[in-house]
Amino acid sequence: MGVEVSGPSNPRFDEILTPEALAFVASLQREFGARRLELLAARVERQDALTAGGTLDFLPETAGVRQDDTWKVAAPAPGLEDRRVEITGPTDRKMTINALNSGAKVWLADFEDANTPLWNNMIEGQLSLRDALDRTIDFTDEKSGKSYSLKPDEELATIVVRPRGWHMEEKHLTVDGKAMSGSLFDFGMYFFHSARRQLAKGKGPYFYLPKMESHLEARLWNDVFNFAQDELEIPRGTIRATVLIETIPAAFEMEEILFELRDHSAGLNAGRWDYLFSVIKKFRSRGASFVLPERNAVTMTAPFLRAYTELLVRTCHKRGAHAIGGMAAFIPSRKDEEINKVAFEKVRADKTRESGDGFDGSWVAHPDLVPVCREIFDGVLGDKPNQRDRLREEVNVSAADLLAIDQTPGEITEAGLRNNIDVALRYLAAWLNGSGAVAIHNLMEDAATAEISRSQVWQWIYNGIKLPDGTTVTKELVSTLLDEELAKIQDELGDAYNSDRYNEAVALFKEVTLADDYSEFLTTPAYVRFP
């Protein structure tokens, strides 16, 4: 078949990597692989234009799509009418059971930023999802002896799978001698094995689509969906997909993205942490007016972020689609109630703002936050499954509003610089050890946090940003602070400190922050380090 699998073969992997499944994903790669590469090249061209002084705006060539008020997306599919609380997390067996049992309406089953693309993780995740649908999944914690099993089907969250972004490859599987798209591999394996299982449950194959930068990338996904449904003789329109608007170019093409996916669309999500990463990345070399304050000082009340979320809700409800809010990443402490009190107040304020703005639901990272988020949205929705009837016709967002980065309050301090270094090191060490969802300082962090942290440091060095005491952020300063923060982590962790992993993390951090050339995604050089 021209297909070669180079990843290790563990027990039960042959249940996923069947000849039929491999032939199916290979057909996706052969049909769409070249278009994917063309679209990635278009990203480079757009970045070059921005670096040269260009800007972003609503596309004149698609004005007709935006001005045509007659079209709508498909009606909500079974299991996606009410999305007031969604929980996210990787697809290991324990998380699969806990997320499905959490009381959330939807579980984002993540093969992307809350996961690391170790071959074992990717295949075991597919097994977890299939076993969950077959109700053959269980898990016993070796340390505590606690056993986990599924609640009845009617109490489980709806599964929505997030494959990797278009930029990622699956190096352990080649088709005709070339590495396969990670997106098509993750999508294809889940669709092949679990689409009919989902339909038998009265739901369907549903997806979250990450990292898109244009409506043409959405068009590619729509063509993939039609091809896959035809191949497996599943009616077109069965698939539903929610697109994460987590890049600033995509914010200017929200209506076009919905239009391209209109027969398969389940709405848009405000992927706010990756959105910040995208803002930094796209305008990284454009001077002080495009430099954000330190990461923890940027809140969703910043004018450019308010414009983004207001436009998202308006766009979705205008077209009959769900608008899903951002992540509450707090992890409740079992020891410090004062930390919990402050954090829960922030979570409540965040979800109150989102529900008041018209969002139909929102994300949490921990099961203990499900009741908090649900209570807030219950207060607005009542017995209604959503508030898509809130059209927000008063919203009028301009290109200048979306680009008002220089109106963001806050400063850049040594503490903020140290925090970026500390969090990036901790996350990278865990990522390189196989964990993509990492608890750091009572927050559940994924790759977006590390991307923001390392990108800010690169940008501050490049633009010669000065700290409040007049110190300029330089490579030499960052190297000094890096050594100091690493020593603090080693002292804190003691015997649990993994010197090999942290040495790798330091090398990777230096590669993506101290090099003159900026790396578009840190997960790309990080993936090279995996076997």
Side-chain angles (χ1 to χ4, degrees), residues 493-506:
L493 296 180
D495 292 341
Y497 181 79
N498 186 328
S499 59
D500 290 340
R501 285 291 174 263
Y502 271 97
N503 288 340
E504 286 184 278
V506 168

Side-chain angles (χ1 to χ4, degrees), residues 331 426-427 430 437-445:
I331 304 171
R426 292 175 189 267
Y427 184 82
V438 185
I440 303 174
H441 307 318
N442 287 107
L443 295 173
M444 185 62 75
E445 306 288 18

Side-chain angles (χ1 to χ4, degrees), residues 272-292:
R272 55 201 190 188
W273 301 129
D274 266 303
Y275 191 78
L276 286 179
F277 162 48
S278 175
V279 168
I280 298 165
K281 175 166 67 173
K282 293 301 177 186
F283 298 102
R284 59 186 180 264
S285 59
R286 293 284 296 276
S289 61
F290 288 96
V291 175
L292 286 167

Side-chain angles (χ1 to χ4, degrees), residues 23-236:
F24 177 68
V25 297
S27 70
L28 294 175
Q29 177 67 19
R30 292 186 178 113
E31 186 73 20
F32 301 106
R35 275 178 63 190
R36 165 185 167 262
L37 295 178
E38 290 171 3
L39 290 169
L40 292 177
R43 288 186 183 181
V44 175
E45 291 178 8
R46 177 180 260 178
Q47 180 62 62
D48 289 344
L50 291 174
T51 301
T55 191
L56 296 171
D57 205 342
F58 299 102
L59 302 179
E61 62 267 32
T62 55
V65 171
R66 298 192 300 275
Q67 294 164 3
D68 180 357
D69 292 334
T70 62
W71 64 269
K72 297 284 191 291
V73 304
L80 295 178
E81 299 93 339
D82 186 338
R83 303 176 63 177
R84 67 189 68 199
V85 191
E86 302 192 355
I87 192 167
T88 72
T91 53
D92 60 90
R93 298 183 78 79
K94 180 180 177 181
M95 183 65 199
T96 296
I97 296 169
N98 283 343
L100 290 172
N101 287 346
S102 67
K105 294 292 187 179
V106 166
W107 171 40
L108 185 157
D110 202 7
F111 287 103
E112 202 228 3
D113 273 5
N115 177 62
T116 53
L118 282 169
W119 179 245
N120 287 357
N121 287 353
M122 309 316 293
I123 306 304
E124 288 171 2
Q126 296 284 353
L127 283 166
S128 293
L129 295 171
R130 200 185 72 168
D131 289 351
L133 292 170
D134 290 344
R135 297 195 61 86
T136 58
I137 192 170
D138 56 25
F139 176 78
T140 300
D141 190 301
E142 293 181 0
K143 293 182 179 179
S144 67
K146 183 179 180 181
S147 295
Y148 298 79
S149 60
L150 292 177
K151 294 179 179 179
D153 276 356
E154 60 272 16
E155 298 180 34
L156 302 181
T158 297
I159 296 172
V160 180
V161 169
R162 179 163 68 173
R164 283 168 283 185
W166 282 129
H167 63 287
M168 290 292 286
E169 294 183 339
E170 178 45 71
K171 66 181 180 182
H172 299 98
L173 193 147
T174 59
V175 178
D176 304 328
K178 297 179 180 179
M180 179 167 184
S181 159
S183 306
L184 296 177
F185 178 81
D186 299 340
F187 161 79
M189 282 297 177
Y190 178 72
F191 189 74
F192 183 87
H193 288 291
S194 296
R196 293 194 182 282
R197 285 177 162 86
Q198 284 282 28
L199 291 168
K201 297 278 187 181
K203 295 183 179 179
Y206 306 144
F207 299 90
Y208 257 112
L209 304 179
K211 303 288 190 294
M212 276 200 275
E213 297 195 12
S214 78
H215 70 285
L216 298 179
E217 295 180 19
R219 182 181 298 173
L220 175 56
W221 268 120
N222 197 69
D223 290 346
V224 169
F225 293 163
N226 282 331
F227 180 90
Q229 289 166 137
D230 291 349
E231 285 290 295
L232 297 192
E233 298 182 341
I234 291 173
R236 290 190 175 193

